[in-house]
Amino acid sequence: MERRRTRRVRLAAGAAVVVALLFAGAATVASARGDGSGEESGNTRVPAASSADAGFARDMAVHHQQAVEMSFVVRDRTDDEDVRRLAYDIANTQANQRGMLLGWLDLWELPKVAPGGEPPMAWMEGGGRHAHGGHHSDGDTSGSGGGHGDGDGVLMAGMASRSELARLGRLDGEQAEVFFLQLMTDHHKGGVAMAEACASQCSVPAERRLAQGMVEGQRSELGLMRDMLAERGAAPRS
């Protein structure tokens, strides 16, 4: 049973990395050739700064950065090879995708922050309603904390709060594994919602393909994490 579970983790994680690398090559070439729509810039058509393409690239880069951070934290808090391997693959995949998203913004000569103080996820249809949906912090979120967010660092759907990240850094062993899997489950759910929005709203074909790949890869990992939580007598947070 243990061997079968380990093999499943390896296959799922390995496939995610391969898909990410394939998208990286295709997307970079497509972007360099101007595979998109929007305003003319020389001989290349690029999205506008307020477009879904630019908004997704900015917001998902931030979203991915936190997943990478959490993965590195849990790697040092447990000796469980399955959790460490999953964390490594999430960090590797999302770091690669983050580089692609930021690279697109550079190629498009667009800012990496939203224009006019626009809140995160505003590019999504109904983004304001979903920015913090389904996420509950275990810490104090009553502060005003400048800018957008809930006062404890939760900028977008599924993101962990500062107090939750601090708690993860204090836990060890199975407690750290369970909390990481719960946080990453929330994180993936938020990421899937954002990627689904880009897959339907973004105008750059390569970016839509990348977003759809994120949806499929993270849904697969959601099932895997649900099983890993069950093996530890736990479940995703409601």
Side-chain angles (χ1 to χ4, degrees):
M1 180 69 178
E2 182 68 22
R3 186 175 304 169
R4 186 182 308 164
R5 179 165 66 90
T6 301
R7 182 183 178 191
R8 183 182 173 192
V9 174
R10 287 176 176 168
L11 289 175
V17 172
V18 170
V19 169
L21 294 178
L22 288 174
F23 274 122
T28 300
V29 172
S31 297
R33 292 175 178 172
D35 182 12
S37 61
E39 299 175 355
E40 292 286 350
S41 177
N43 295 323
T44 303
R45 290 175 61 81
V46 300
S50 59
S51 65
D53 302 84
F56 175 73
R58 287 189 299 261
D59 288 351
M60 190 58 85
V62 174
H63 209 266
H64 273 16
Q65 179 58 32
Q66 188 181 77
V68 173
E69 178 184 350
M70 290 194 295
S71 297
F72 281 129
V73 170
V74 79
R75 181 196 61 178
D76 298 330
R77 309 303 298 180
T78 179
D79 293 326
D80 185 272
E81 286 303 314
D82 287 342
V83 173
R84 286 170 60 88
R85 189 177 297 109
L86 174 64
Y88 171 81
D89 288 325
I90 288 174
N92 189 53
T93 299
Q94 298 207 13
N96 285 334
Q97 293 173 343
R98 182 174 185 271
M100 293 160 52
L101 295 166
L102 294 176
W104 270 325
L105 291 172
D106 285 336
L107 284 169
W108 297 333
E109 298 183 355
L110 294 178
K112 295 181 177 65
V113 295
E118 194 174 79
M121 301 174 70
W123 57 272
M124 294 174 62
E125 293 178 354
R129 295 196 304 273
H130 301 293
H132 308 295
H135 181 92
H136 300 280
S137 169
D138 67 340
D140 178 14
T141 60
S142 59
S144 59
H148 304 290
D150 68 353
D152 199 17
V154 181
L155 299 176
M156 285 171 269
M159 289 187 71
S161 65
R162 285 189 292 265
S163 56
E164 287 172 327
L165 293 175
R167 179 186 170 195
L168 179 63
R170 294 192 300 268
L171 297 175
D172 288 298
E174 188 170 282
Q175 287 186 327
E177 296 161 19
V178 168
F179 196 48
F180 167 75
L181 292 168
Q182 290 173 331
L183 290 179
M184 194 59 75
T185 293
D186 291 344
H187 206 272
H188 271 24
K189 288 178 179 178
V192 166
M194 291 172 62
E196 286 177 331
C198 177
S200 64
Q201 294 176 233
C202 288
S203 61
V204 177
E207 192 172 17
R208 288 202 306 270
R209 291 193 294 270
L210 175 64
Q212 187 58 43
M214 289 180 185
V215 171
E216 294 167 2
Q218 292 194 26
R219 279 179 175 168
S220 176
E221 287 177 344
L222 281 168
L224 178 61
M225 290 189 290
R226 183 183 60 245
D227 292 346
M228 293 175 76
L229 282 167
E231 289 163 1
R232 291 161 176 78
R237 302 190 294 184
S238 60

